[in-house]
Amino acid sequence: MTTTTLTVPRSGRSRFAAHPRAVRDTRSAWLFIAPFGIFYLAFLLGPTIYMFVMSFFNTSTVRTGLGSFAGFANYAEMLTRADFWSSLWHTLQFTIYTTPPLVIIAFVFAVLTNRMRHAQWFYRLAFFLPFILPSATISLIWVFIFTPSTGLWALVQEGLGMTPGAGVLSSPNTAMIGIAIATLWWTLGFNYVLYLAGLQEIPRELYEAAAVDGATPWQQIWSITIPMLRRTTTLVLLLQIIASLKIFDQVYLMTGGGPGISTQVSLQLITGTAFTDNRVGAASAASVLLFIVIIVIAVIRQIADRAAARKEF
């Protein structure tokens, strides 16, 4: 005699019993998101859209409203202005000067720190401490260092038997290099902490197995560390490129765009056009063009990273 077990299907009520709870959870989630969402719309997305709209009008700070419709005249003007292309080149020049050192040096110091068994907290503090200082403080420190005759750099030159010149920030050939050095010292700690966090996520067993197989420390770094930190490197590169393309504070405080306009960057041109020349529409067009450059560089970097990832597989 056999016994048959019957499976009773669930009722429709039991299937949808959790629905009210899911609705409550969704409402709670939206309530938590709402403060940031309002802030994002009011102070980030909204002004960006308004800036794009203003770029098609003769908007000015001396009168209300958008002004008369200009079409693409503001864009045509900016694309034919020599100082726009000069400032864009200075921005790219600063990005070239700062991005590779800030990525490579941060990686090297992070690897060295990660191999230390004691006092890692001290190195984290030492590298990250300058990053929390405001840009005005950093600019004053490095203006003092680069001061001709009395600055620290002049004293180093005298100690090496060199004749101090007019100053690093006083020459069009070296002013941007001086700003890049100050930025390197200031922001290195951020990339350093990101790399150190990524290194601590790599399993130690991989290095132990490689050491048993006879791999040297350099071979371990090349075959394990660098591939495992590929995502971290992509993040660091993108953040650093975007931050460098938005350079303004150091240039404005250390050189004011000089000597002449040899260090004038895009954001300085934009602010000068908007608030000195009172031409917000033209400044908005320059902002949109800079935004497009940033997006294009970020997309190219992402495509290159994906291509490299496909090669690995």
Side-chain angles (χ1 to χ4, degrees):
M1 183 175 181
T2 60
T3 303
T4 304
T5 303
L6 298 177
T7 303
V8 180
R10 296 181 180 179
S11 64
R13 182 179 178 182
S14 62
R15 267 188 309 177
F16 297 97
H19 180 67
R21 182 176 179 180
V23 172
R24 288 195 301 270
D25 292 342
T26 302
R27 289 176 180 173
S28 300
W30 279 109
L31 287 175
F32 278 108
I33 295 173
F36 174 77
I38 294 172
F39 178 86
Y40 182 80
L41 291 174
F43 297 101
L44 294 175
L45 185 60
T48 301
I49 296 174
Y50 190 59
M51 175 193 70
F52 181 75
V53 173
M54 285 192 299
S55 67
F56 295 99
F57 291 85
N58 291 316
T59 311
S60 174
T61 56
V62 297
R63 59 175 180 267
T64 59
L66 291 174
S68 60
F69 183 72
F72 289 96
N74 290 326
Y75 290 93
E77 177 190 347
M78 282 296 166
L79 291 174
T80 55
R81 283 177 56 170
D83 56 348
F84 170 78
W85 292 106
S86 175
S87 64
L88 183 59
W89 162 242
H90 295 152
T91 305
L92 295 175
Q93 183 183 17
F94 176 81
T95 304
I96 294 170
Y97 284 167
T98 56
T99 299
L102 281 170
V103 174
I104 296 172
I105 297 175
F107 172 77
V108 171
F109 282 139
V111 170
L112 294 175
T113 304
N114 191 55
R115 289 179 173 270
M116 300 189 66
R117 297 183 179 273
H118 305 289
Q120 283 195 15
W121 65 269
F122 172 77
Y123 294 100
R124 292 178 188 174
L125 178 64
F127 279 103
F128 194 73
L129 188 60
F131 186 72
I132 67 175
L133 297 176
S135 58
T137 303
I138 299 300
S139 300
L140 288 174
I141 291 172
W142 282 92
V143 166
F144 173 75
I145 290 174
F146 290 137
T147 300
S149 302
T150 60
L152 182 61
W153 175 240
L155 296 177
V156 171
Q157 287 180 305
E158 291 179 358
L160 296 175
M162 301 168 60
T163 302
V168 175
L169 301 178
S170 302
S171 172
N173 298 323
T174 59
M176 187 61 77
I177 296 176
I179 297 171
I181 292 173
T183 305
L184 178 64
W185 180 81
W186 178 30
T187 59
L188 179 66
F190 182 74
N191 296 343
Y192 165 83
V193 169
L194 290 179
Y195 269 124
L196 194 58
L199 285 168
Q200 293 177 351
E201 294 295 324
I202 300 177
R204 301 298 303 175
E205 292 79 7
L206 295 177
Y207 294 104
E208 294 172 359
V212 170
D213 291 339
T216 63
W218 170 248
Q219 290 174 331
Q220 294 176 23
I221 292 173
W222 184 259
S223 301
I224 299 175
T225 306
I226 294 178
M228 294 292 287
L229 288 179
R230 184 173 55 84
R231 292 183 179 274
T232 303
T233 301
T234 300
L235 174 64
V236 169
L237 274 172
L238 287 177
L239 291 178
Q240 189 57 58
I241 290 173
I242 293 173
S244 297
L245 289 173
K246 296 192 301 180
I247 176 67
F248 174 76
D249 298 4
Q250 303 94 292
V251 173
Y252 184 78
L253 294 169
M254 294 179 68
T255 64
I261 59 170
S262 60
T263 59
Q264 185 185 50
V265 291
S266 295
L267 286 183
Q268 192 175 4
L269 173 69
I270 291 169
T271 55
T273 304
F275 301 111
T276 303
D277 300 338
N278 298 319
R279 303 187 59 211
V280 181
S284 299
S287 300
V288 173
L289 292 173
L290 178 61
F291 181 74
I292 292 173
V293 171
I294 294 175
I295 294 298
V296 169
I297 292 177
V299 169
I300 291 174
R301 183 65 192 86
Q302 283 291 96
I303 293 174
D305 182 67
R306 289 184 179 181
R310 288 175 182 174
K311 276 188 177 181
E312 291 180 2
F313 293 102

